[in-house]
């Protein structure tokens, strides 16, 4: 059950942002084994200059088209994580949405007790999920 935050500069149309979110969801379903029907995404566009993303000494030249995909998840393997990094870069570039140099992906782990899907209950712990 990944929770995905897609943060970008406000340089894309709403349609392009939705297409980007759809591609991210496809990757979550195919490579992260996200259950069908589980789509939790936050897509935000900030004014140009609001994202400061240096190259970490890698010589990467970023543009105002920078996108940060932050995935909160449970129990994915190293192989799954590296697979989504590659798939996201490839698919978003192929769609003409994000240059590979402008894509930053961060995956963080949390546990079943770290989720409530409503009604103030921890559905993973109560057995509702």
């Amino acid at each position: 059950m990944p929770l995905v935050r897609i943060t970008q500069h406000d340089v894309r149309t709403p349609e392009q942002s939705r297409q980007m979110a759809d591609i991210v969801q496809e990757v979550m379903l195919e490579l992260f084994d996200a259950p069908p029907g589980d789509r939790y995404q936050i897509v935000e566009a900030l004014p140009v200059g609001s994202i400061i993303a240096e190259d970490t000494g890698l010589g990467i030249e970023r543009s105002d088209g920078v996108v940060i995909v932050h995935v909160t998840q449970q129990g994915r393997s190293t192989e799954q994580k590296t697979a989504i990094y590659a798939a996201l870069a490839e698919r978003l570039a192929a769609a003409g949405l994000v240059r590979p140099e402008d894509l930053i992906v961060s995956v963080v782990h949390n546990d079943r007790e770290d989720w409530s899907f409503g009604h103030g209950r921890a559905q993973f712990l109560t057995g509702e999920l």
Side-chain angles (χ1 to χ4, degrees), residues 8 12-23 43 97:
Q8 60 182 323
R12 293 174 183 84
T13 67
E15 294 78 20
Q16 289 171 319
S17 292
R18 178 57 189 237
Q19 183 183 8
M20 182 170 30
D22 291 345
I23 290 169
V43 181
L97 295 169

Side-chain angles (χ1 to χ4, degrees), residues 89-125:
E90 178 183 311
R91 294 181 194 188
L92 292 170
L97 295 169
V98 183
R99 298 178 329 133
E101 299 87 348
D102 285 330
L103 180 64
I104 300 168
V105 182
S106 174
V107 178
V108 297
H109 175 83
N110 71 358
D111 295 309
R112 296 174 72 78
E113 65 267 15
D114 296 323
W115 292 91
S116 172
F117 294 96
H119 301 291
R121 296 192 299 268
Q123 287 86 352
F124 281 130
L125 301 181

Side-chain angles (χ1 to χ4, degrees), residues 1-3 28 32 71-77 80-81 107-111 115:
M1 174 120 8
L3 170 63
M28 293 298 111
F32 243 33
V71 183
T72 302
Q73 55 77 45
Q74 301 172 23
R76 275 29 178 236
S77 69
Q80 286 174 300
K81 292 174 188 176
V107 178
V108 297
H109 175 83
N110 71 358
D111 295 309
W115 292 91

Side-chain angles (χ1 to χ4, degrees), residues 52-86:
I52 301 168
E54 295 183 353
D55 71 354
T56 316
L58 298 172
I60 298 171
E61 302 242 355
R62 302 200 200 280
S63 74
D64 288 340
V66 67
V67 172
I68 300 172
V69 177
H70 184 87
V71 183
T72 302
Q73 55 77 45
Q74 301 172 23
R76 275 29 178 236
S77 69
T78 299
E79 292 78 19
Q80 286 174 300
K81 292 174 188 176
T82 57
I84 69 158
Y85 304 152

Side-chain angles (χ1 to χ4, degrees), residues 24-45:
V24 170
Q25 180 65 9
E26 290 169 8
V27 170
M28 293 298 111
L29 291 169
E30 292 173 25
L31 300 174
F32 243 33
D33 297 326
D38 281 356
R39 185 172 185 169
Y40 296 92
Q41 294 178 318
I42 302 158
V43 181
E44 58 187 350

